[in-house]
Structures are given as structure tokens and as C-alpha cells.
């Protein structure tokens, strides 16, 4: 399934995210609980020595050099080098009649950790992450023992260093796996796969495929589809392929195709939100005509005989969902508006008079504020009417429509558009230095691209 919305995270974005992730991993490793170590080793001409290492306390674990890399068709790889740790603890040794105990300081240096992250999506369309591979290599362990028998400690030292190395290498990867599952995975699940917009509509941001890693970016394909909260139905048109321009300078790119915006029109049209009414009380006082049968009798003489001096009501509706077009100059659409005219009878019931269709040119200005896509509409003058009835009072209705659009309809719609529609962002992410561009791609692909750095 082609996406209606794409999020592209570049190497610069991953570098920033990895700073936060490595800081969390460093905290997790600093809380590592090491098990007690015990064993035996033989000294030539002396015999068997039994040792015990206990009360191990990891004082610090530092990850000074690390990098996250894109692995095409696989996912992400985190490489950590020159890490080091410090451990305190107690020791006890037994050799025939010799028994001794004390404390020790241990420094682990030149720790190398390599982690492969497998990215995917679950049944609900939320992103997932798990470790597909983890390896740890420690090249240097230095131990300093306190005690009375110096010659014994040197032998003890050679036996204990490999034991420490094996224990730490195993424990580090266990912490990595645990940290990915307890920290990274829950954080990724804060990405909203559905976002409620208002009482009528929501947005489906579920993943349509697992994230794709390339040599330059991590692309996440989202459904990007508005839907009616009252009754969700299948969209009668399919999204076209959404092609990104080959830019990778910023941290993150958002691509929204015309499919994304056109499903908004479909959802609100299906929810009955694109129906408006005009009454005489809405006509500004300075206008020289009123919305009544007397005014329209100049165009339709029979109104004076059938409904003398009665107020009228106009009901505006879209016969179909409006479709917009995205081009290099921005967003535009030409909605058809059906105008049903009624006479308001003395008992407040409505008598249908005529039906007229008008077409208007509408342009949209878009921006991003507070992680929301916001916008405003500008409506051109209504024109090109075709009456389905016995008369064509086009000019009068055009004037009424222009007055209504300028004074009532546009302020109402623009107030709603100023609230905006949320971008798909996990918790605690804020965007800055945002740039919005419009692109028209070949074969009918019309993506709008938002580029926060």
C-alpha cells in the first residue's frame, strides 16, 4: 500500500536521537548488578587455590565514543568504543592453611559494544524495535587488591581477570536487550497511530510497512488518512506513490501527498460538515438588498404570486467531496457548491424554490506551528452558475455568496484551520527551524513536503 504520509529521519536526526539514547543506556549500565564470582585454580608446586569475589559495586560506566549507523535493508547499528567502567568489591582466598580477604578496585577499559536494532511494526501499525544482535568485547581489565600476601595476589590476579571479562561481557548485552525493550520500545509506542482532530474526524497515522533503512535515511511509511469518527468507510481512491526530493540536510522530513488532504475533504463531507445555511439576518446592514422573495421576484416573477414578501433561506452543500491540487505554487481547489433556496412559510416550514450550482476558486496557505499543520483559505469570487430549475438568478446569488464567504464562512473555517492537524510525533519531540515546500511530481503525484530541522 502506498503511504499518504512519509517521515524521513536522516543521519543528522539519528545522531541527535542517539545522544539521548546513549545517555539512557549509560544510566542503565551504571546500575548493573554483577553476580558474585568464585572458583578454583592450581598453582604449580603449591596446590589448589579457592577464591571468592563478592559485594561487587559498579561505581560508573562511561560511553564516551558511540555512533548510530544506517544498515540498508536491515535497520540500525549502534557502535560504542573505548568505554570504561570502575568496580569495587570484596575478595576472599584459601590456600591450605593460608586464608586472607580484603577489598579490591577494578578498572575495565577499552570496552567495545556493537548493537543491531531490528525495526518493524505490529498489528496496530505502531513501530517496534528489538535487538537482533549484540556483542561486547573487553580488551583490558586491571585489578588492584589490598592484603598481606603480595606474591599470592599476582597469581590471583591472572586468574580473576578472565572471569571478570566473561561476566561483564555477558551482563552488558543483557542490559542492552533489557534497555531496548523497557526504554526504546515503549517510547516508540508513544507515536500516535490515530489522532482525534475534533468531534467529526480523526487521522490514521498507522505504519503501512516496517521502517526502511537506506544508506542515507530511515523512511517510515504511514497511512496518512483522515476518517469520519461516526462511520469509517473505505476511501474510494488509492494513494499514488509519494516521491521525496533527494535532500538529506535536515534532521527530519515530512511528506504529505494530495491523498492525505483529499481524505480530509472526504471525511468532513461524509460527516455532514460541509453544509451551511444563510438567512437574511446574516446579510450585513449596509447591503441594499435582503434575502426575501421580493428581492428575487425581479429574477423569478412567479415568487411574488406564490410566496409574497416572505423571508428566504439558502442551504449550501457540496454535492461531492472537494478535491485539491498541490503544485509548485501551493494548494488550490475548485469546489462546486449547490445552493438550495427555500421560502420560509408563516408556520416556519420551508418551501423549496430553486437549486443552483456555483463554482469557486479557493487557494490555501499552509504552515506548521506547535507541531501542527495549520492553514488558511482564500476564496475567489463565485462564478459560472448553472440553475436546475426555472430561473437563473446567478448574479444576485453570487453577491450573497461573496458576502457570506467573506464575513462568516471564511472566518469560521480559518479559525478551525488555525487550530491545525497534529503531525505524527512521539512524546517530548518539538520541531524548530521549519521549512514548508510544495512539489509536483510526475504522473499525478502531488506531495507537499514539510521540512523541520
Amino acid at each position: 500500500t502506498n503511504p499518504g504520509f512519509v517521515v524521513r529521519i536522516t543521519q543528522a536526526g539519528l545522531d541527535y536521537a542517539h545522544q539521548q539514547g546513549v545517555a539512557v543506556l549509560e544510566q542503565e549500565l551504571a546500575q548493573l548488578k554483577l553476580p558474585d564470582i568464585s572458583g578454583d585454580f592450581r598453582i604449580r608446586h603449591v596446590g589448589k587455590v579457592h577464591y571468592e569475589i563478592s559485594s561487587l559495586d559498579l561505581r560508573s560506566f562511561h560511553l564516551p565514543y558511540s555512533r548510530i549507523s544506517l544498515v540498508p535493508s536491515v535497520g540500525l547499528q549502534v557502535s560504542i568504543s573505548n568505554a570504561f567502567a570502575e568496580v569495587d568489591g570484596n575478595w576472599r582466598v584459601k590456600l591450605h592453611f593460608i586464608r586472607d580477604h580484603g577489598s579490591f578496585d577494578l578498572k575495565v577499559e577499552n570496552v567495545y559494544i556493537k548493537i543491531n536494532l531490528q525495526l518493524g511494526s505490529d498489528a496496530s501499525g505502531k513501530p517496534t524495535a528489538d535487538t537482533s544482535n549484540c556483542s561486547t568485547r573487553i580488551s583490558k581489565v586491571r585489578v588492584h587488591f589490598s592484603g598481606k600476601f603480595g606474591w599470592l595476589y599476582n597469581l590471583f590476579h591472572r586468574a580473576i581477570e578472565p572471569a571478570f571479562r566473561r561476566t561483564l561481557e555477558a551482563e552488558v548485552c543483557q542490559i542492552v536487550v533489557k534497555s531496548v525493550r523497557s526504554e526504546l520500545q515503549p517510547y516508540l509506542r508513544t507515536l500516535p497511530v490515530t489522532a482525534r482532530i475534533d468531534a467529526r474526524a480523526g487521522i490514521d497515522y498507522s505504519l503501512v510497512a516496517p521502517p526502511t533503512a537506506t544508506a542515507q535515511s530511515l523512511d517510515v511509511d504511514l497511512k496518512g488518512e483522515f476518517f469520519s469518527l461516526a462511520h469509517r468507510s473505505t476511501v474510494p481512491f488509492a494513494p499514488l506513490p509519494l516521491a521525496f526530493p533527494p535532500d538529506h540536510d535536515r534532521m527530519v522530513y515530512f511528506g504529505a501527498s494530495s491523498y492525505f488532504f483529499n481524505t480530509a475533504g472526504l471525511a468532513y463531507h461524509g460527516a455532514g460538515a460541509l453544509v451551511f445555511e444563510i438567512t437574511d439576518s446574516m446579510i450585513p446592514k449596509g447591503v441594499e438588498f435582503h434575502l426575501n422573495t421580493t428581492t428575487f421576484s425581479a429574477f423569478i416573477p412567479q415568487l411574488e404570486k406564490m410566496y409574497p414578501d416572505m423571508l428566504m433561506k439558502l442551504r449550501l452543500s457540496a454535492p461531492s467531496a472537494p478535491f485539491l491540487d498541490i503544485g509548485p505554487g501551493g494548494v488550490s481547489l475548485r469546489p462546486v457548491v449547490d445552493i438550495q433556496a427555500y421560502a420560509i412559510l408563516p408556520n416556519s416550514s420551508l418551501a423549496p424554490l430553486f437549486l443552483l450550482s456555483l463554482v469557486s476558486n479557493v487557494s490555501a496557505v499552509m504552515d506548521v506551528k506547535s507541531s501542527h499543520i495549520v492553514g488558511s483559505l482564500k476564496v475567489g469570487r463565485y462564478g459560472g452558475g448553472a440553475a436546475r430549475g426555472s430561473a437563473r438568478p446567478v448574479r444576485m446569488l453570487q453577491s450573497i455568496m461573496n458576502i457570506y464567504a467573506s464575513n462568516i464562512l471564511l472566518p469560521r473555517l480559518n479559525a478551525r484551520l488555525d487550530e491545525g492537524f497534529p503531525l505524527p510525533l512521539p512524546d517530548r519531540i518539538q520541531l524548530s527551524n521549519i521549512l514548508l515546500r510544495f512539489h509536483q511530481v510526475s504522473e499525478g503525484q502531488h506531495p507537499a513536503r514539510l521540512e523541520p530541522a
Side-chain angles (χ1 to χ4, degrees):
T1 302
N2 288 325
F5 201 99
V6 174
V7 180
R8 167 169 289 175
I9 305 171
T10 65
Q11 184 64 56
L14 291 172
D15 289 342
Y16 179 80
H18 125 272
Q19 294 175 15
Q20 314 304 315
V22 167
V24 171
L25 181 59
E26 196 171 58
Q27 294 174 2
E28 292 283 328
L29 289 172
Q31 300 174 18
L32 179 64
K33 302 299 181 183
L34 296 174
D36 293 348
I37 302 173
S38 62
D40 299 300
F41 65 95
R42 287 191 171 277
I43 302 176
R44 189 176 182 181
H45 307 306
V46 175
K48 183 174 70 172
V49 178
H50 178 77
Y51 65 87
E52 296 177 359
I53 303 295
S54 61
S55 302
L56 298 175
D57 178 27
L58 185 64
R59 287 190 287 127
S60 62
F61 207 122
H62 299 284
L63 311 175
Y65 303 105
S66 60
R67 175 172 174 77
I68 189 168
S69 304
L70 290 153
V71 183
S73 303
V74 176
L76 303 175
Q77 184 178 89
V78 182
S79 303
I80 299 170
S81 60
N82 295 331
F84 61 93
E86 296 176 316
V87 181
D88 293 339
N90 298 325
W91 62 271
R92 185 179 298 275
V93 69
K94 178 182 177 182
L95 172 61
H96 299 309
F97 59 90
I98 300 175
R99 288 177 172 80
D100 200 5
H101 66 278
S103 60
F104 70 89
D105 298 319
L106 179 144
K107 290 186 178 181
V108 183
E109 299 175 343
N110 296 342
V111 181
Y112 298 89
I113 308 171
K114 184 178 290 185
I115 309 157
N116 286 344
L117 293 176
Q118 184 71 44
L119 304 177
S121 59
D122 62 15
S124 68
K126 284 184 175 288
T128 61
D130 205 354
T131 50
S132 59
N133 184 55
C134 176
S135 61
T136 305
R137 180 169 58 87
I138 300 172
S139 62
K140 184 181 293 185
V141 177
R142 295 190 298 173
V143 187
H144 176 262
F145 293 98
S146 62
K148 295 179 292 185
F149 301 100
W151 63 272
L152 181 59
Y153 306 144
N154 291 329
L155 299 173
F156 185 50
H157 180 277
R158 288 196 296 270
I160 203 62
E161 280 189 359
F164 268 118
R165 183 180 291 110
R166 288 191 299 269
T167 299
L168 276 172
E169 287 176 347
E171 292 292 330
V172 164
C173 274
Q174 289 184 23
I175 285 292
V176 168
V177 172
K178 177 184 175 184
S179 183
V180 168
R181 292 177 178 173
S182 64
E183 298 287 344
L184 179 58
Q185 174 75 348
Y187 179 71
L188 291 179
R189 294 189 66 81
T190 65
L191 179 76
V193 295
T194 56
R196 183 186 175 96
I197 302 172
D198 51 33
R200 292 188 174 94
I203 306 178
D204 187 339
Y205 280 132
S206 59
L207 274 69
V208 298
T212 303
T214 67
Q216 294 179 304
S217 65
L218 182 69
D219 289 354
V220 186
D221 292 349
L222 310 178
K223 196 171 187 68
E225 180 180 298
F226 285 73
F227 61 91
S228 171
L229 296 177
H231 176 67
R232 185 165 186 177
S233 58
T234 303
V235 177
F237 49 87
L240 295 171
L242 196 162
F244 265 104
D247 299 345
H248 297 87
D249 296 335
R250 294 175 176 250
M251 289 185 180
V252 62
Y253 293 78
F254 298 90
S257 73
S258 56
Y259 176 85
F260 175 75
F261 297 102
N262 283 328
T263 58
L266 192 69
Y268 281 101
H269 179 267
L274 304 183
V275 178
F276 309 94
E277 293 185 343
I278 306 176
T279 60
D280 185 67
S281 61
M282 297 178 181
I283 305 298
K285 293 182 178 180
V287 178
E288 57 189 26
F289 58 80
H290 292 278
L291 187 55
N292 55 34
T293 56
T294 301
T295 299
F296 278 83
S297 64
F299 304 96
I300 311 174
Q302 56 266 42
L303 288 182
E304 188 72 27
K305 298 177 181 179
M306 299 175 62
Y307 306 102
D309 197 25
M310 291 185 184
L311 291 175
M312 292 173 56
K313 175 185 286 188
L314 302 179
R315 179 166 293 164
L316 284 57
S317 62
S320 61
F323 273 71
L324 58 80
D325 183 67
I326 300 177
V331 179
S332 62
L333 61 155
R334 285 176 54 84
V336 176
V337 179
D338 280 353
I339 305 174
Q340 176 66 62
Y342 298 92
I344 304 176
L345 302 179
N347 63 0
S348 299
S349 62
L350 301 177
L353 301 179
F354 57 84
L355 178 65
L356 186 78
S357 293
L358 296 179
V359 179
S360 178
N361 293 315
V362 180
S363 60
V365 177
M366 297 174 58
D367 200 354
V368 176
K369 295 179 182 178
S370 301
S371 302
H372 282 64
I373 303 174
V374 299
S376 62
L377 298 176
K378 182 179 180 181
V379 179
R381 298 186 66 82
Y382 284 84
R388 296 199 290 272
S390 59
R392 301 180 61 192
V394 177
R395 292 184 180 178
M396 178 65 72
L397 285 175
Q398 287 175 351
S399 298
I400 293 174
M401 285 292 296
N402 288 327
I403 292 171
Y404 174 73
S406 299
N407 293 277
I408 299 174
L409 182 59
L410 274 186
R412 184 190 304 177
L413 292 177
N414 286 336
R416 174 62 191 88
L417 290 173
D418 191 57
E419 296 175 12
F421 310 115
L423 289 170
L425 293 170
D427 287 348
R428 304 188 301 276
I429 293 294
Q430 294 181 338
L431 304 177
S432 62
N433 192 19
I434 299 168
L435 174 66
L436 173 64
R437 290 178 180 171
F438 298 94
H439 299 270
Q440 184 168 353
V441 188
S442 61
E443 299 182 1
Q445 306 166 35
H446 299 158
R449 184 180 60 165
L450 314 177
E451 305 178 356

